[in-house]
Amino acid sequence: MSNFRRMLQITRVDLSYFFRTKWLIGTLIGLNMTDMLVVGLVYKGMMPAVVEGNLNYFQFYAPGVIITGLFFASFDVGRRVHLGLTEGVSQYYLTLPVSLNEVVYAHLLSAGLGGAIYAGVLTVIAAALVPQLVSLSTLALVPFMFVLSMGLAGIAAVLNLFSKSGDRYFTFADGIQTVMVSLSTIAYPISIIGKYLPNSVVMLVELNPLSQGAEALRAIVNGGPSSPAFTIPSLLITSLVLLVVGVVSYRHVFTKLREVGKI
C-alpha cells in the first residue's frame, strides 16, 4: 500500500468519526435549520426598518447559517486531533509507514471534506426555502468551500499548538468560535456593522473568512455580495493563508509528539 493510500485511509477514519453518530448529525442539522427559520423569519420583518434598500433578511441569513455549519464541522477536526493526542491515537498514526506531513495533510483533508459535506447537506435543505441556491454557481463554489473548510481547520491547529493537554482546547475553541461568528456578516450586513463599530473592527469583519464565505453564497442568492470587499479571490487567499498556518502548526505539534511522546 502506497503512502498516499495510507494517508487517504487515515483521512477516511478521521472523517468517519464525525459522521459516525447519525443521530447527532441529524440533531445538529435540525438545530441549524431551526435557527435559520426562527431567526430568519423573525428578523425578516425587523431589518428593513434599519437597513437601507430592499433586504430580504431570510435570504440574507440562510447563507450565513450554511457557513456557520461549515465552520463548526471543519473545526471539529481540531477536537478529534486533541482527543487523539491525549488518548494515544496520534502516537499510533506516527508509528505507521507514513510521513509526518501525510498525517498532517490527512487531518486537514478530513476537515475540508467534513465541512464541505456538512455545508452541502445544509445547502440542499435550504434550497427548498431559497430556490436561488439551486444553481450551477453553487456547484462551482463547492471547491472554494472545501478550501475554506481546510483553512478554518488551520485555526483549530493553532489551538492544538497552544492548548497542550487537558480541557483548555475546548475553552479556547468555544471562545474563538464565539468571536469569529460574532465579528462576521453571518447575522448582520456590513453596512449595519459599520454604523456601530470602528473602522478597524469593520476591516477585521471583512477579512473574517466566515464573512467571505457567507458573501460568496449571497452573491449567488442575490446576484452580488453586499460589499465589493468580498470576492472569490479574497476568500481563496484567506483560506490558503489559514491552511498554511494549519500545516505549520500541526507539523510542530506532531514533531514534538514524535520526539517527546506527549504534548
Side-chain angles (χ1 to χ4, degrees):
M1 183 184 293
S2 67
N3 287 2
F4 181 72
R5 289 183 62 187
R6 291 190 183 94
M7 183 190 74
L8 291 182
Q9 190 157 1
I10 293 175
T11 301
R12 180 185 63 79
V13 171
D14 193 43
L15 185 62
S16 70
Y17 281 111
F18 180 70
F19 292 101
R20 184 170 295 176
T21 312
K22 296 180 177 60
W23 285 107
L24 175 60
I25 295 298
T27 301
L28 293 175
I29 292 174
L31 289 173
N32 285 137
M33 298 310 300
T34 300
D35 183 32
M36 184 186 300
L37 289 169
V38 173
V39 177
L41 292 176
V42 170
Y43 278 35
K44 182 179 179 181
M46 300 168 57
M47 291 302 289
V50 294
V51 180
E52 297 178 0
N54 184 24
L55 174 68
N56 184 325
Y57 187 76
F58 184 80
Q59 292 184 358
F60 174 87
Y61 188 59
V65 174
I66 294 171
I67 295 301
T68 302
L70 179 146
F71 176 42
F72 283 99
S74 63
F75 223 70
D76 188 70
V77 73
R79 178 187 64 83
R80 298 196 299 273
V81 171
H82 176 77
L83 293 176
L85 291 169
T86 57
E87 296 176 359
V89 176
S90 297
Q91 289 87 334
Y92 166 72
Y93 284 156
L94 293 176
T95 65
L96 300 175
V98 293
S99 69
L100 184 146
N101 282 337
E102 287 166 342
V103 175
V104 171
Y105 295 142
H107 286 303
L108 292 174
L109 184 59
S110 168
L113 291 171
I117 292 171
Y118 190 80
V121 172
L122 289 178
T123 302
V124 169
I125 299 174
L129 303 170
V130 186
Q132 296 93 324
L133 288 172
V134 182
S135 167
L136 291 177
S137 298
T138 304
L139 290 177
L141 196 60
V142 171
F144 296 96
M145 293 295 104
F146 171 73
V147 177
L148 172 62
S149 187
M150 286 198 297
L152 292 171
I155 301 174
V158 175
L159 296 185
N160 273 305
L161 179 63
F162 290 103
S163 62
K164 307 299 181 182
S165 58
D167 295 331
R168 282 178 293 179
Y169 173 83
F170 302 102
T171 303
F172 292 163
D174 288 342
I176 289 294
Q177 289 170 339
T178 300
V179 170
M180 288 194 66
V181 172
S182 299
L183 293 179
S184 73
T185 62
I186 292 295
Y188 303 103
I190 193 67
S191 59
I192 294 296
I193 295 173
K195 291 180 179 180
Y196 299 97
L197 297 177
N199 291 336
S200 57
V201 177
V202 173
M203 183 179 299
L204 291 176
V205 171
E206 291 182 330
L207 293 175
N208 189 329
L210 301 185
S211 298
Q212 295 174 356
E215 291 299 322
L217 278 176
R218 287 171 187 144
I220 296 173
V221 174
N222 302 317
S226 60
S227 169
F230 303 107
T231 62
I232 291 296
S234 65
L235 169 65
L236 184 59
I237 292 172
T238 302
S239 301
L240 290 175
V241 169
L242 291 175
L243 177 58
V244 171
V245 171
V247 170
V248 173
S249 298
Y250 272 147
R251 270 189 56 83
H252 180 84
V253 169
F254 289 129
T255 298
K256 183 177 180 181
L257 184 67
R258 186 170 59 183
E259 293 174 352
V260 181
K262 63 179 181 179
I263 57 172

